[in-house]
Amino acid sequence: TIVQTLERHFSLQDVLVGKSVLITAGPTQEAIDPVRYISNHSTGKMGFALARVFALAGADVTLVCGPTYLITPEPTIRRVNVRSAQEMYEATAAAFPKAHITILNAAVADYTPAHPATEKIKKKEAEFAIELTKTVDIAATLGTLKRPDQLMMGFALETNNEHEHALGKLHRKNLDWIVLNSLRDAGAGFGHDTNKITVMDRQETVAEFGLKTKDEVAADLLSIIVQKL
Amino acid sequence: TIVQTLERHFSLQDVLVGKSVLITAGPTQEAIDPVRYISNHSTGKMGFALARVFALAGADVTLVCGPTYLITPEPTIRRVNVRSAQEMYEATAAAFPKAHITILNAAVADYTPAHPATEKIKKKEAEFAIELTKTVDIAATLGTLKRPDQLMMGFALETNNEHEHALGKLHRKNLDWIVLNSLRDAGAGFGHDTNKITVMDRQETVAEFGLKTKDEVAADLLSIIVQKL
């Protein structure tokens, strides 16, 4: 069980009582018109597993999540449903000042249609282009606001030069840790119940983990964070 | 129950035994890169309700469906899972010659990225554009292949000039009926368990239905089709 998994890692009792934890999860949907959108393959499973272990460890968890059919895993979790990257940014920024620990697990759209249509776009031209504009970079924005009493973990999904890109992100966004998911590993990443991660910290210490269930990965990450409190 | 609903409409027993019915359902996902895609808000609920009532009426049902978390509603249904508009077209075209009745309920992407990337696109430029190209028009293509012994029903979702656009589609694509969903009606359309439809035939007879469960709407549509057999 998840509780046993947690207990294998550290003494669970009340280790996070009184701590506010902010977790983002799932994809975002960026409207092209009232019917169509741009999204990604995130299901939210990893973020929901994180919300669960932190809630079980006594933390006061706020879970900001994009569109997903997943059920809130513990009744004590405060769930905030959002759709777009802009909504994700607003909900996350609102909860951030109170959060002792922030885990940015959501797969937030980097780009959004610059001019979403209010009516369904008709099929006319053989070709057309959707103009995209950058969304707010949530991790980078919160990184500039982060106080010394706050810890922040980010996630990176890379398909090439994984380590280099992830470390660049860690420093540029003022994160305490970055968790690298690779799409190269079978059974890891989007939609699976298992994941295979590499965790890097500000000293560029690299910890590689084997393929585990997302619940076990969540417990590993909790353990890493607790050691820094 | 759904069986009672069916019995209210017509004598259910074996009315479609020996008939092959092809139904498409759900959205499609068009890859931008390995992580991102373009999709739409269809959940597949209406198509799955149709597959269920036709299976209950004894038909041999093939259900071609895009990405959805819905469970196949009856064990006799042959389910074919697809992702992209191109895959939806290929699976539907392959099953079409044997189908006595074809119901095109899927919300198939009209456009797809012209040059999907094989690596995750990095966030660099402040703006960029996704070049799109038209997908195969499944209804129009099957319309040109349709034999006199085949019946075909299409769906239209319009946000303006609904009737005019739907009738244009009916004739242009050689459909026997077009079912119009409006996003204007509360409780109707994507994601809801209820729907409100208008059905038009080749004589431009217009039948308007009230807000009903998708199971009841499916039974109404089955009733309309059975009368033409």
Side-chain angles (χ1 to χ4, degrees):
Chain A
T1 70
I2 180 67
V3 175
Q4 288 168 331
T5 306
L6 278 170
E7 282 171 345
R8 244 180 279 133
H9 285 75
F10 63 101
S11 165
L12 179 69
Q13 275 73 21
D14 302 340
V15 68
L16 286 166
V17 166
K19 296 289 180 192
S20 285
V21 179
L22 168 61
I23 298 169
T24 69
T28 65
Q29 288 179 357
E30 309 302 313
I32 297 170
D33 67 19
V35 175
R36 303 172 177 99
Y37 59 78
I38 296 175
S39 192
N40 63 66
H41 292 294
S42 171
T43 55
K45 283 181 184 170
M46 189 65 240
F48 276 58
L50 283 162
R52 186 162 183 229
V53 299
F54 278 87
L56 289 174
D60 175 24
V61 176
T62 298
L63 175 61
V64 178
C65 59
T68 167
Y69 60 89
L70 297 176
I71 307 297
T72 311
E74 294 294 325
T76 57
I77 295 168
R78 188 182 311 107
R79 176 173 178 162
V80 182
N81 291 318
V82 300
R83 188 169 292 276
S84 65
Q86 178 62 26
E87 288 173 15
M88 176 76 73
Y89 164 66
E90 289 168 12
T92 305
F96 181 70
K98 279 194 177 171
H100 300 101
I101 299 159
T102 298
I103 306 178
L104 300 171
N105 176 250
V108 181
D110 294 329
Y111 291 93
T112 192
H115 312 288
T118 55
E119 301 283 352
K120 186 182 172 193
I121 298 166
K122 299 295 297 174
K123 185 174 181 166
K124 280 175 302 204
E125 341 283 307
E127 277 156 35
F128 88 101
I130 303 175
E131 303 287 331
L132 300 175
T133 183
K134 248 185 184 168
T135 57
V136 177
D137 186 327
I138 297 175
T141 305
L142 299 186
T144 63
L145 301 170
K146 187 160 69 96
R147 302 183 308 261
D149 64 318
Q150 290 182 303
L151 292 170
M152 190 153 73
M153 175 178 273
F155 277 71
L157 178 87
E158 306 287 347
T159 56
N160 58 330
N161 299 326
E162 288 102 328
H163 279 56
E164 187 192 324
H165 281 142
L167 280 176
K169 221 166 164 175
L170 169 82
H171 293 299
R172 207 164 57 243
K173 304 193 180 186
N174 192 25
L175 298 167
D176 297 285
W177 303 273
I178 192 149
V179 181
L180 179 60
N181 288 298
S182 173
L183 282 183
R184 291 193 203 281
D185 297 300
F190 291 146
H192 291 97
D193 290 321
T194 49
N195 204 2
K196 190 171 180 309
I197 57 161
T198 302
V199 182
M200 297 177 234
D201 66 14
R202 297 178 71 86
Q203 289 72 46
E204 306 199 355
T205 314
V206 177
E208 308 238 14
F209 291 81
L211 190 70
K212 300 185 176 197
T213 68
K214 288 188 174 175
D215 281 345
E216 289 171 323
V217 172
D220 285 340
L221 293 175
L222 185 149
S223 179
I224 288 171
I225 290 173
V226 165
Q227 288 165 35
K228 264 277 246 176
L229 283 178
Chain B
T1 72
I2 180 66
V3 175
Q4 287 169 332
T5 304
L6 278 170
E7 282 171 345
R8 244 180 278 132
H9 285 74
F10 63 101
S11 165
L12 178 69
Q13 275 71 23
D14 301 340
V15 68
L16 286 165
V17 166
K19 296 290 178 190
S20 285
V21 179
L22 168 61
I23 299 170
T24 70
T28 65
Q29 289 179 356
E30 307 303 314
I32 298 170
D33 67 19
V35 175
R36 302 171 176 102
Y37 60 78
I38 297 175
S39 191
N40 63 66
H41 291 295
S42 171
T43 55
K45 283 181 184 170
M46 188 66 239
F48 276 57
L50 283 162
R52 186 162 184 229
V53 299
F54 277 87
L56 289 174
D60 175 23
V61 176
T62 298
L63 175 61
V64 178
C65 59
T68 167
Y69 60 90
L70 298 176
I71 306 297
T72 310
E74 293 294 324
T76 57
I77 296 168
R78 188 181 312 107
R79 176 173 178 162
V80 182
N81 291 319
V82 299
R83 187 170 293 275
S84 65
Q86 179 62 27
E87 287 174 16
M88 176 76 71
Y89 164 66
E90 288 168 13
T92 306
F96 181 71
K98 280 193 176 171
H100 300 102
I101 299 160
T102 297
I103 306 178
L104 301 171
N105 176 250
V108 182
D110 294 330
Y111 292 92
T112 192
H115 313 288
T118 55
E119 301 283 352
K120 185 180 173 193
I121 298 167
K122 299 295 297 175
K123 185 173 182 168
K124 281 176 301 204
E125 340 283 308
E127 276 155 34
F128 88 100
I130 303 175
E131 304 286 332
L132 301 175
T133 182
K134 248 184 184 168
T135 57
V136 178
D137 186 327
I138 297 175
T141 305
L142 299 186
T144 63
L145 301 171
K146 187 160 67 98
R147 303 183 307 262
D149 64 316
Q150 291 182 304
L151 293 170
M152 189 154 73
M153 175 179 273
F155 277 70
L157 178 86
E158 305 287 347
T159 55
N160 57 329
N161 299 324
E162 287 103 328
H163 279 58
E164 188 192 325
H165 281 142
L167 279 176
K169 219 166 165 176
L170 169 82
H171 293 299
R172 207 163 58 243
K173 305 193 179 185
N174 193 23
L175 299 166
D176 297 286
W177 304 272
I178 192 149
V179 181
L180 178 61
N181 288 299
S182 173
L183 281 183
R184 291 193 202 282
D185 297 300
F190 290 146
H192 291 97
D193 290 320
T194 49
N195 203 3
K196 189 172 180 310
I197 58 161
T198 302
V199 182
M200 297 177 233
D201 65 14
R202 298 177 71 82
Q203 290 72 47
E204 306 201 353
T205 313
V206 177
E208 309 238 12
F209 292 80
L211 190 70
K212 300 185 177 197
T213 68
K214 287 187 174 176
D215 281 346
E216 289 171 324
V217 171
D220 285 340
L221 293 174
L222 185 149
S223 179
I224 287 171
I225 290 172
V226 164
Q227 287 165 35
K228 265 277 244 173
L229 284 177

